Amino acid sequence: MTLIVPLIVLLLIGVFHLVSGIATPTVEAMSIGYVDELGGFEQYTSQGNITLVRFDTQSGATEALVKGDIKEYFVIPPDYISAGAINRYTLEKQLAASPAITEAINNFLLGNLLAGKVPAATIARIEAPLNLVTTRLTETGEVAPEQGGYGNLIIPFVFGVLLALSIIFSSTYLLQGLADEKENRLIEILLSSVSARQLLTGKVLGMGAAGLVQVAVWVISAPLLLNLASSSIGGFISTIRLPANFVVLAIVYFILGYLLFAVISAAIGAISSSSREGQQLIGVFTLPALIPLWFTSLLMFFPGNPVWVFFTIFPLSSPVEVIMRLGVSVIPAWQLVVSIAVLVLSVIGILLLTIRVFRTYLLMYGKRPGIGEIIQGLRSG
Amino acid sequence: MPAVEVSHIVKSFADKVVVDDLSFSVAQGEIFGLIGPNGAGKTTTIRMMMDIIKPDSGDVTILGEQLSESTKNKLGYLPEERGLYKKLRVLDSIIYLASLKGMDRRSAEEKANGLLNQTGMLPHKGKKIEELSRGMGQIIQFIVSVIHNPELVVLDEPFAGLDPVNVELLKGMLFDLKNQGKALILSTHQMNEIEELCDRILMINHGRSVLYGNLAEIKSRYRSNSVLLEFEGEMGEVPGVAEKRTHKGHVELVLDGNATPQQILERLVSQRVVINRFEIATPPLNEIFLRVVGTAHE
């Protein structure tokens, strides 16, 4: 998965070029008819690629439509000014009129309604009154180096999804490995060679290292792929940016997220009697890691809601939540500090607790201890 | 200095005492038998010696050192229920597990090749563990338990699942280790193996020691007062023999309590009986086992 993800992106860029080379979208000139029962709609008949052709009667328009001279036609009824309704006639079965046609008709009506009353330039402005250009300023009033916008969102969201998936895959993998060692009794040989502390720490650090390698490959390949994509594809993709401090925080949270789920998997591997049972139990813990993904759209539209602060600090959801929030808004430093501290403490705490119960329950084959027994084990272990 | 000294270890699981105040020691260059019925606490005792679990109280010392992470490299263990990484190749499995015992890769590989050659497993070194037969897998596990030159090797049912050729091979290797001054602890239900290999034994039942000491001494302690005889010719009345039991191929003479086996032998010789075999009957360990465990059950 580590290498596959950048390769897939590379492949997608390639496929885009291939497809766009074959199927260059041709802008087709078309004619649509109209019947002006109200009167006065004579100008602005050329709207981009669409030409509006005037018919005196509806039957004439229908005839032209059936013959294929026009693609469709519409009727401006006498009561248009008061009622505002336009009747549209077409041969095609559609869900709705295409945006291009709607815009063409809209601008044609607007232009004719205002013709002579306001200057032509004003008419053009009325057609498209808003082109919002947002600039983010810093507290000192200067232009901030990091601007907002959807371009920021893409990479963190992709990384969030990838992190959540990686956490699930790798926890399952660790759990499976431990369950295998337990089921084929290899664990006894391992424990006669290394202590439970060494075995557990080794497994957890191994997972942490796997997380580090993965995020390093992705973080390094992301800007390169992005450059390639934006220079060759352009458009929206060229607005995609890696948010500042994203690289550092992504590395920190990938590693901490991996470590946290590694210690949880090890704890569950220790107490569960089979890998299947372990996988059911681990689901309870990996579910919160997915919560930030469910609420993606809420996060996009209400980034200031205090509920995100909770998910940022709650250790099971914080790795994915923080990475996704980075794309939407700025996370206050205190939240990051608290969240990293809680994660680190959780990793260490769970590791220490697990070491205490690990030995006893690893050797209890085929029997899962009850909660009471585990608590007893923690006290006496 | 004894290779292993176990003193007063106690272990209980959830209020059930599994090992109860057990003490014994194993000398260097000795094969020691650990026997007992199922559930007697053998595996728990072994796990405490291997530092897999800690005793609730009591001590285990290996060559005078307390068990710790560093003494683990002096231990070799062949657990009763065996397993290796199924997908890993034979040589890689051995090298990996040897590295956990502190060996570097090169010397582990060298030693592994030597042991594989000795056991006739060299042609299989590139195979995956799952491709091996059960007996072959066991040989590999045995190699894993001795490759790092441990001072103490504990073998739990080492002969189970081996064919007679491999049993002999393994026995030869055990004697080699013994001659190198290693301490070996053998836990098995096959009493004939214990009798053949072990110098001293410990029998435990319900977590307690019920028999401990030199095997020959124990057997003489349990011997019945009789001799076994194979002879040619006619045997008349022999003074001092209370009863004569005829078995297949031999005769058992039960002595009356006043005569010694030596006197009986002299009397037989004077009767001009041709003696092919004369043996003081000691019960097989199996019988002692049943007798001791049976008593404890009552």
Side-chain angles (χ1 to χ4, degrees):
Chain A
M1 186 156 159
T2 309
L3 290 175
I4 286 176
V5 170
L7 286 178
I8 287 178
V9 175
L10 204 60
L11 195 71
L12 286 179
I13 296 175
V15 167
F16 175 84
H17 280 280
L18 208 64
V19 172
S20 59
I22 297 166
T24 317
T26 46
V27 192
E28 197 183 338
M30 76 165 93
S31 299
I32 63 176
Y34 72 96
V35 181
D36 179 13
E37 293 176 352
L38 177 64
F41 290 85
E42 277 133 27
Q43 302 175 50
Y44 301 99
T45 53
S46 177
Q47 294 287 342
N49 298 308
I50 298 171
T51 310
L52 292 106
V53 184
R54 187 169 184 278
F55 291 90
D56 290 330
T57 61
Q58 200 177 334
S59 57
T62 306
E63 200 177 315
L65 178 66
V66 173
K67 270 165 69 185
D69 293 344
I70 52 172
K71 196 118 183 7
E72 57 180 72
Y73 72 90
F74 61 93
V75 178
I76 306 167
D79 64 347
Y80 167 64
I81 298 294
S82 58
I86 295 286
N87 304 311
R88 175 172 171 259
Y89 300 90
T90 173
L91 295 174
E92 286 170 34
K93 184 182 175 190
Q94 295 171 323
L95 293 174
S98 78
I101 287 174
T102 313
E103 194 191 341
I105 300 174
N106 187 59
N107 292 345
F108 164 75
L109 295 174
L110 200 77
N112 281 299
L113 287 171
L114 295 175
K117 299 185 181 89
V118 294
T122 311
I123 293 178
R125 188 50 49 238
I126 290 171
E127 283 174 4
L130 179 68
N131 178 15
L132 209 53
V133 180
T134 311
T135 302
R136 185 173 158 243
L137 299 179
T138 61
E139 281 163 12
T140 54
E142 289 156 38
V143 176
E146 188 193 348
Q147 297 291 326
Y150 283 103
N152 273 324
L153 194 82
I154 302 300
I155 299 258
F157 273 34
V158 169
F159 268 71
V161 172
L162 289 177
L163 175 59
L165 290 178
S166 313
I167 281 175
I168 292 174
F169 283 145
S170 53
S171 336
T172 313
Y173 192 69
L174 192 147
L175 198 63
Q176 182 70 42
L178 202 53
D180 282 349
E181 284 171 352
K182 214 170 145 175
E183 274 166 30
N184 67 23
R185 309 300 197 245
L186 198 60
I187 202 80
E188 292 198 38
I189 295 187
L190 295 178
L191 283 180
S192 73
S193 307
V194 295
S195 66
R197 187 183 61 83
Q198 289 170 324
L199 180 65
L200 251 184
T201 315
K203 281 193 183 294
V204 169
L205 287 182
M207 275 272 279
L212 179 65
V213 170
Q214 193 163 53
V215 73
V217 169
W218 292 350
V219 161
I220 292 167
S221 62
L224 300 177
L225 290 170
L226 210 54
N227 274 341
L228 183 66
S230 65
S231 62
S232 62
I233 299 175
F236 172 68
I237 290 175
S238 59
T239 69
I240 295 180
R241 298 269 175 278
L242 272 180
N245 68 23
F246 177 78
V247 172
V248 175
L249 286 173
I251 289 175
V252 168
Y253 278 94
F254 256 68
I255 294 174
L256 287 176
Y258 260 79
L259 289 178
L260 179 74
F261 282 90
V263 289
I264 292 174
S265 307
I268 287 176
I271 61 167
S272 53
S273 60
S274 67
S275 61
R276 204 177 47 164
E277 191 183 82
Q279 264 152 36
Q280 287 164 356
L281 269 173
I282 192 86
V284 176
F285 294 92
T286 46
L287 223 52
L290 296 176
I291 288 177
L293 300 182
W294 300 341
F295 297 127
T296 305
S297 54
L298 286 176
L299 176 64
M300 278 163 62
F301 296 115
F302 309 102
N305 195 301
V307 73
W308 312 126
V309 180
F310 171 77
F311 286 136
T312 301
I313 291 166
F314 182 59
L316 292 175
S317 60
S318 66
V320 177
E321 180 71 27
V322 167
I323 285 179
M324 293 182 73
R325 269 185 79 189
L326 281 174
V328 178
S329 62
V330 171
I331 305 176
W334 72 266
Q335 289 181 21
L336 288 176
V337 170
V338 172
S339 132
I340 290 175
V342 168
L343 260 178
V344 170
L345 290 177
S346 308
V347 170
I348 296 172
I350 298 173
L351 184 67
L352 291 179
L353 287 181
T354 308
I355 288 170
R356 288 175 79 98
V357 282
F358 195 67
R359 251 213 295 220
T360 315
Y361 295 115
L362 265 185
L363 298 170
M364 272 198 185
Y365 305 120
K367 174 174 171 285
R368 187 166 60 78
I371 301 239
E373 282 179 81
I374 293 174
I375 292 169
Q376 200 186 355
L378 281 175
R379 280 212 203 101
S380 64
Chain B
M1 191 187 345
V4 197
E5 178 92 61
V6 174
S7 67
H8 304 288
I9 53 170
V10 176
K11 183 75 193 178
S12 47
F13 293 119
D15 304 331
K16 185 175 179 284
V17 181
V18 181
V19 173
D20 192 0
D21 195 26
L22 200 60
S23 299
F24 61 94
S25 70
V26 183
Q28 295 175 48
E30 172 179 52
I31 302 185
F32 186 83
L34 181 62
I35 54 180
N38 295 328
K42 295 190 299 288
T43 303
T44 305
T45 304
I46 291 173
R47 283 178 181 167
M48 283 189 277
M49 277 193 282
M50 291 292 108
D51 201 24
I52 295 173
I53 50 176
K54 301 264 184 224
D56 297 339
S57 63
D59 280 319
V60 178
T61 53
I62 304 288
L63 292 169
E65 279 180 66
Q66 289 281 335
L67 278 183
S68 70
E69 284 171 8
S70 58
T71 53
K72 286 196 171 196
N73 292 353
K74 296 179 179 170
L75 307 173
Y77 180 33
L78 178 74
E80 182 180 5
E81 297 192 64
R82 291 175 259 275
L84 290 165
Y85 296 105
K86 292 191 186 72
K87 303 282 177 199
L88 213 56
R89 295 184 191 285
V90 168
L91 190 61
D92 296 332
S93 306
I94 298 174
I95 291 173
Y96 170 65
L97 291 169
S99 73
L100 292 184
K101 289 288 190 185
M103 289 186 89
D104 64 79
R105 200 189 155 83
R106 183 185 295 182
S107 53
E109 187 168 351
E110 210 172 286
K111 191 86 188 287
N113 279 319
L115 286 165
L116 285 168
N117 190 30
Q118 197 182 345
T119 49
M121 292 290 292
L122 204 53
H124 306 290
K125 74 171 182 181
K127 283 190 183 164
K128 287 185 181 160
I129 294 292
E130 61 186 356
E131 295 169 39
L132 301 182
S133 72
R134 191 164 164 240
M136 287 169 156
Q138 189 154 336
I139 297 280
I140 300 303
Q141 290 233 297
F142 175 74
I143 291 175
V144 166
S145 63
V146 298
I147 188 168
H148 55 292
N149 200 24
E151 295 302 326
L152 169 67
V153 185
V154 176
L155 306 160
D156 204 347
E157 293 291 351
F159 303 110
L162 287 185
D163 64 39
V165 177
N166 281 328
V167 168
E168 286 311 308
L169 178 80
L170 199 60
K171 279 181 189 167
M173 293 177 80
L174 295 186
F175 279 120
D176 287 348
L177 287 169
K178 172 187 153 121
N179 292 335
Q180 288 164 27
K182 310 296 181 199
L184 289 103
I185 296 179
L186 207 64
S187 173
T188 174
H189 286 116
Q190 286 164 290
M191 295 300 162
N192 55 331
E193 309 290 3
I194 295 274
E195 283 185 271
E196 189 183 337
L197 294 166
C198 295
D199 309 300
R200 294 191 312 132
I201 61 158
L202 169 70
M203 188 188 292
I204 57 176
N205 197 17
H206 301 300
R208 291 180 150 273
S209 163
V210 287
L211 269 183
Y212 172 52
N214 188 289
L215 185 57
E217 240 170 67
I218 288 172
K219 287 184 78 168
S220 73
R221 216 190 302 160
Y222 278 83
R223 80 174 179 210
S224 53
N225 198 18
S226 61
V227 295
L228 306 179
L229 189 68
E230 273 178 56
F231 64 99
E232 288 166 25
E234 278 296 308
M235 183 173 65
E237 276 300 309
V238 182
V241 172
E243 193 188 343
K244 193 160 79 177
R245 295 176 194 154
T246 309
H247 297 280
K248 194 183 170 194
H250 70 273
V251 171
E252 183 182 355
L253 304 178
V254 182
L255 311 191
D256 65 4
N258 297 322
T260 63
Q262 187 64 35
Q263 289 167 335
I264 300 295
L265 180 63
E266 282 165 11
R267 285 166 199 168
L268 286 169
V269 171
S270 67
Q271 281 191 11
R272 300 193 179 280
V273 174
V274 180
I275 296 166
N276 292 330
R277 174 183 166 210
F278 182 88
E279 185 186 330
I280 297 166
T282 50
L285 189 55
N286 207 17
E287 211 179 301
I288 300 176
F289 179 89
L290 291 173
R291 232 192 276 174
V292 171
V293 172
T295 321
H297 270 299
E298 283 156 13

